[in-house]
Amino acid sequence: MSTDSALRLLMPSLDELESVLSNLLNAPVRGDRLRKGEVMPDGYLAGLYHDQDDILRAIIQVDFAFALDCGARLSMIPVGVVEETKASGQLTETMTANVHEILNIFGLLFNEQRPGAPRVRLVALVGANELPDEARALLGHPKVQGIDARISWKGIDARGFLSVRMLPFDPRG
């Protein structure tokens, strides 16, 4: 893939992420960028996105609160199950599958909608503490683009955090 075409991958805007999440969850969702100096909570799950040459190009990480609330809300899991899951600190299989689906749909936002444009796709959902070496290298790359945001239902306190990282070019040069 040439560097020129790789530059055409899109960095999703916070408005786009908000809109997609609001539509998926059938609720008004608001995203607020973290302020300078504000620290992103530890990631819980990470979606790894590869291009058509199977090169890692983007990562979306979410914290446990985001995964729990969004994973439960997507399929309307009962409050009792949500509370049990919160206490255990481990998502149910259904909640994890729901987070996978949300991150899969978010992946479409990286892709330009024109024939022949480069594409990325979600290839794996892993624990944030289980990131492969190539993902750690991407996160540490000096030219990585990113968004860190607090996600909330409008009118309600923060419900979690998400972090998006993308290389704006083919890392192989």
Side-chain angles (χ1 to χ4, degrees):
M1 174 189 309
S2 74
T3 302
D4 180 53
S5 66
L7 287 171
R8 292 194 180 101
L9 285 173
L10 304 173
M11 182 65 179
S13 72
L14 191 52
D15 287 344
E16 290 170 320
L17 293 165
E18 254 181 24
S19 177
V20 168
L21 197 53
S22 291
N23 287 330
L24 284 172
L25 302 178
N26 196 28
V29 173
R30 187 178 82 218
D32 295 303
R33 284 185 186 267
L34 297 187
R35 287 178 240 133
K36 187 173 181 151
E38 196 173 0
V39 178
M40 175 83 182
D42 288 340
Y44 180 74
L45 292 173
L48 307 178
Y49 301 82
H50 287 217
D51 66 16
Q52 59 264 32
D53 294 328
D54 206 28
I55 303 296
L56 178 66
R57 297 291 301 284
I59 299 171
I60 297 179
Q61 291 189 76
V62 299
D63 72 339
F64 182 74
F66 178 99
L68 176 66
D69 282 356
C70 294
R73 190 173 186 99
L74 188 63
S75 59
M76 298 185 291
I77 292 174
V79 174
V81 174
V82 173
E83 291 302 320
E84 289 173 14
T85 302
K86 185 176 185 178
S88 77
Q90 295 290 322
L91 293 184
T92 67
E93 286 184 36
T94 299
M95 289 176 187
T96 302
N98 288 346
V99 172
H100 184 277
E101 185 59 26
I102 290 167
L103 296 186
N104 188 44
I105 293 168
F106 276 170
L108 298 174
L109 298 174
F110 292 114
N111 299 323
E112 224 182 284
Q113 299 305 309
R114 66 176 173 78
R119 301 275 188 253
V120 293
R121 69 196 184 290
L122 178 65
V123 297
L125 181 66
V126 299
N129 60 348
E130 300 167 350
L131 288 172
D133 290 342
E134 68 176 334
R136 292 185 196 286
L138 184 147
L139 292 173
H141 197 284
K143 293 189 178 178
V144 70
Q145 297 176 334
I147 296 172
D148 292 327
R150 177 184 308 99
I151 303 300
S152 59
W153 314 126
K154 290 188 179 175
I156 301 176
D157 292 339
R159 306 306 286 193
F161 293 81
L162 72 85
S163 177
V164 179
R165 294 291 181 269
M166 183 189 84
L167 281 177
F169 60 90
D170 185 335
R172 298 170 300 178

